[in-house]
Structures are given as structure tokens and as C-alpha cells.
């Protein structure tokens, strides 16, 4: 049954021809320029409002995100301790934190970084550290012309599908939050031959970032700690955790479809 699920998930299900054609166009463009990393940067306004994560935001932005959370009655959690949630590892990494991690992992400053995300909250102000550290940051809007994207622009799921196709074929995939898309891409990349996926430990990362910014760690210590902590979290084969009494805490099958992967 699990093997059948894999065949359906990763072979039978296809995006529409129009999505696949444009996704492959993006991939071919990136591959023609050399190796590329896909950064799934989950730092959009709705994500932050829903999760209550406001680290690095201005007071006005925090108020705006809070109002948005209260405006959606089906978002049950209203009062959220943002800093505690961040320390517990339940917030997407900020662009600033992500930049430090990529630098610590030793990525070349000229590597292509494709941003798989919607509009980043805070815009260029929040993205400035990433732009300063890496000279070749792109997204679909900067690669394709407006005419190519026009049929998809009012369809967020179709725009995400384009990012999904690029993420599958990237040399490295780095999600900053383990949402549904990140988990499905992780499992699909395992199915395609354990392509390199760096699974970030957000709880440990924010501790190290805070220590570095307070001066408790110098850069070499920070960088070494980041590399050592993640050298076994690159999407390699591993047994899927099963917890019969707490199934919601198990590894998702679609993130690690162990039964149908080659060993």
C-alpha cells in the first residue's frame, strides 16, 4: 500500500501542462547559469499573522499582524507569545537569521539562490542582509517576464506549484519552516535519489544566533556549531519515527516515504 502511495504521489500526479512547461523553463534558465539553491523562505504576511511570529518586526508591523490574526475567526489562537514561540522553534526563520545560517554553512557568495515564496513581509528592508551577503538572489518574478506569469498571478497555489517544480530540481533545497510544501518537497527529493535537503533545527539555530549576536560566540564558533549540528540533517536515508500513541508527532509519510525508497 505504501509503495502504491509513492507511485501516486511522485509518478501519477502531475501538474497541468501549462504549469509544467513554465516550471521547466525556470529550471532550465537556472541550470544554464550553474548550481542553484532553492530557499523556501516562509516569511509572508499571512504566515506571520497566523503563527504570531514577529521577531525583528517594527511595532507598527507587529500591530498590523495582530489585527490580521484577529480578523480571521477561523484562526483559533489569538494571544501569542512571539518570543517564546521563537525560542521553542515554532517560528519560520527570519531573513536575517537565514542569511547567517547560509553563510555559516559555507555557501559561496555567488551561488544562485532562488527564493521560493510569496511577497516577503518587510520587503527590501528585511531582505537586505541576504542581498548583501549573496550577489545572485533571484525569484520567478525576476527571471520570467510579466506576460509569462500573468495567467498565474491571481492563483497563489499555481504560483507555489512553479516554485515546487524548481525546488525539485535544485542542487540544494533549504526550507526555513516545515510546512506542508516543504515536507512534500523533502519526500519527493528523497524519492528522486536523496537529493540534498538541509533540514534546519530552528530551536537550536535561534539559540546560536542569539549567542552570536550577544557576543557569547565569535563567528568561527557560531559557524562550526551550525555545521556540526546539521551535518546529519541533509535528507539522507533514515527510519521514519512512528509514535502509535501520539500519531501527530510522527514523521509524515510524504516527507519520508521510507518503505518505497531505494536503500
Amino acid at each position: 500500500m505504501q509503495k502504491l502511495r509513492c507511485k501516486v504521489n511522485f509518478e501519477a500526479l502531475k501538474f497541468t501542462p501549462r504549469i509544467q512547461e513554465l516550471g521547466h523553463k525556470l529550471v532550465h534558465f537556472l541550470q544554464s547559469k550553474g548550481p542553484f539553491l532553492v530557499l523556501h523562505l516562509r516569511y509572508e504576511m499571512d504566515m506571520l499573522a497566523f503563527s504570531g511570529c514577529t521577531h525583528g518586526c517594527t511595532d507598527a508591523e507587529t500591530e498590523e499582524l495582530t489585527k490580521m490574526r484577529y480578523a480571521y475567526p477561523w484562526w483559533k489562537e489569538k494571544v501569542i507569545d512571539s518570543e517564546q514561540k521563537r525560542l521553542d522553534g515554532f517560528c519560520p526563520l527570519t531573513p536575517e537569521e537565514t542569511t547567517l545560517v547560509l553563510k555559516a554553512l559555507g555557501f559561496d557568495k555567488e551561488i544562485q539562490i532562488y527564493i521560493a515564496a510569496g511577497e516577503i513581509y518587510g520587503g527590501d528592508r528585511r531582505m537586505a542582509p541576504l542581498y548583501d551577503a549573496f550577489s545572485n538572489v533571484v525569484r520567478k518574478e525576476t527571471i520570467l517576464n510579466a506576460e509569462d506569469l500573468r495567467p498565474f498571478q491571481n492563483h497563489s497555489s499555481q504560483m507555489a506549484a512553479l516554485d515546487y517544480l524548481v525546488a525539485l530540481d535544485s542542487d540544494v533545497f533549504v526550507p526555513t519552516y516545515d510546512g506542508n510544501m516543504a515536507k512534500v518537497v523533502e519526500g519527493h527529493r528523497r524519492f528522486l535519489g536523496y537529493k540534498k535537503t538541509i533540514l534546519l533545527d530552528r530551536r537550536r539555530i535561534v539559540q546560536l544566533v542569539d549567542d552570536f549576536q550577544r557576543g557569547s560566540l565569535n563567528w568561527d564558533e557560531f559557524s562550526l556549531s551550525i555545521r556540526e549540528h546539521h551535518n546529519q540533517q541533509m535528507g539522507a536515508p533514515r527510519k521514519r519515527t512512528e509514535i502509535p500513541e501520539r500519531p501527530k508527532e510522527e514523521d509524515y509519510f510524504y516527507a519520508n516515504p521510507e518503505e518505497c525508497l531505494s536503500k
Side-chain angles (χ1 to χ4, degrees), residues 211-223:
D211 286 344
F212 171 66
Q213 292 181 332
R214 281 193 296 260
S216 302
L217 293 175
N218 63 36
W219 174 255
D220 289 341
E221 293 168 332
F222 171 77
S223 180

Side-chain angles (χ1 to χ4, degrees), residues 12-211:
L13 287 173
K14 303 286 185 185
F15 291 113
T16 63
R18 186 170 68 173
I19 291 174
Q20 290 201 83
E21 180 181 350
L22 196 55
H24 293 152
K25 182 176 180 178
L26 282 165
V27 169
H28 292 152
F29 175 87
L30 291 162
Q31 289 177 335
S32 72
K33 305 291 185 180
F36 70 98
L37 176 155
V38 166
L39 180 62
H40 191 221
L41 191 59
R42 290 293 278 121
Y43 208 76
E44 301 99 342
M45 184 178 183
D46 59 344
M47 177 67 196
L48 300 179
F50 174 76
S51 64
C53 296
T54 58
H55 183 75
C57 293
T58 65
D59 290 344
E61 288 171 339
T62 299
E63 184 179 355
E64 181 180 44
L65 293 171
T66 302
K67 286 180 178 177
M68 184 178 183
R69 185 163 66 253
Y70 276 87
Y72 286 83
W74 54 91
W75 291 357
K76 301 301 183 185
E77 193 175 14
K78 302 300 183 185
V79 180
I80 298 174
D81 184 337
S82 174
E83 283 306 308
Q84 188 58 54
K85 196 165 186 179
R86 173 179 175 267
L87 292 174
D88 290 339
F90 296 133
C91 287
L93 294 182
T94 68
E96 299 90 342
E97 292 165 344
T98 302
T99 301
L100 288 173
V101 170
L102 294 180
K103 289 173 64 178
L105 289 171
F107 286 106
D108 189 282
K109 65 180 182 180
E110 295 183 359
I111 190 173
Q112 295 181 99
I113 297 181
Y114 176 94
I115 304 296
E119 184 177 351
I120 301 303
Y121 191 61
D124 287 344
R125 178 180 70 84
R126 299 304 300 272
M127 291 294 286
L130 186 66
Y131 294 149
D132 290 343
F134 296 95
S135 60
N136 202 0
V137 179
V138 299
R139 52 193 309 150
K140 52 187 172 293
E141 291 85 355
T142 62
I143 295 174
L144 300 170
N145 59 51
E147 193 60 37
D148 283 332
L149 283 173
R150 186 166 289 115
F152 305 93
Q153 281 184 321
N154 294 324
H155 305 280
S156 59
S157 293
Q158 293 182 31
M159 294 286 270
L162 295 173
D163 288 340
Y164 184 97
L165 290 171
V166 178
L168 283 189
D169 281 332
S170 63
D171 296 278
V172 185
F173 176 60
V174 183
T176 61
Y177 189 74
D178 53 354
N180 289 333
M181 176 169 160
K183 288 185 178 297
V184 176
V185 171
E186 176 192 346
H188 204 154
R189 286 173 65 84
R190 288 176 183 273
F191 183 77
L192 293 174
Y194 299 103
K195 301 174 78 171
K196 190 171 187 177
T197 300
I198 302 180
L199 305 173
L200 300 177
D201 183 339
R202 295 185 303 280
R203 184 174 183 178
R204 181 61 178 144
I205 284 171
V206 298
Q207 293 171 349
L208 291 171
V209 166
D210 289 349
D211 286 344

Side-chain angles (χ1 to χ4, degrees), residues 215-257:
S216 302
L217 293 175
N218 63 36
W219 174 255
D220 289 341
E221 293 168 332
F222 171 77
S223 180
L224 180 62
S225 295
I226 290 287
R227 293 197 306 272
E228 287 184 340
H229 192 74
H230 289 89
N231 62 5
Q232 298 299 318
Q233 300 190 58
M234 301 288 183
R238 64 176 171 82
K239 184 144 184 81
R240 192 173 71 253
T241 303
E242 295 185 53
I243 313 174
E245 67 276 13
R246 299 195 305 277
K248 290 186 177 181
E249 297 178 27
E250 294 183 350
D251 289 345
Y252 291 101
F253 173 81
Y254 55 81
N256 183 19

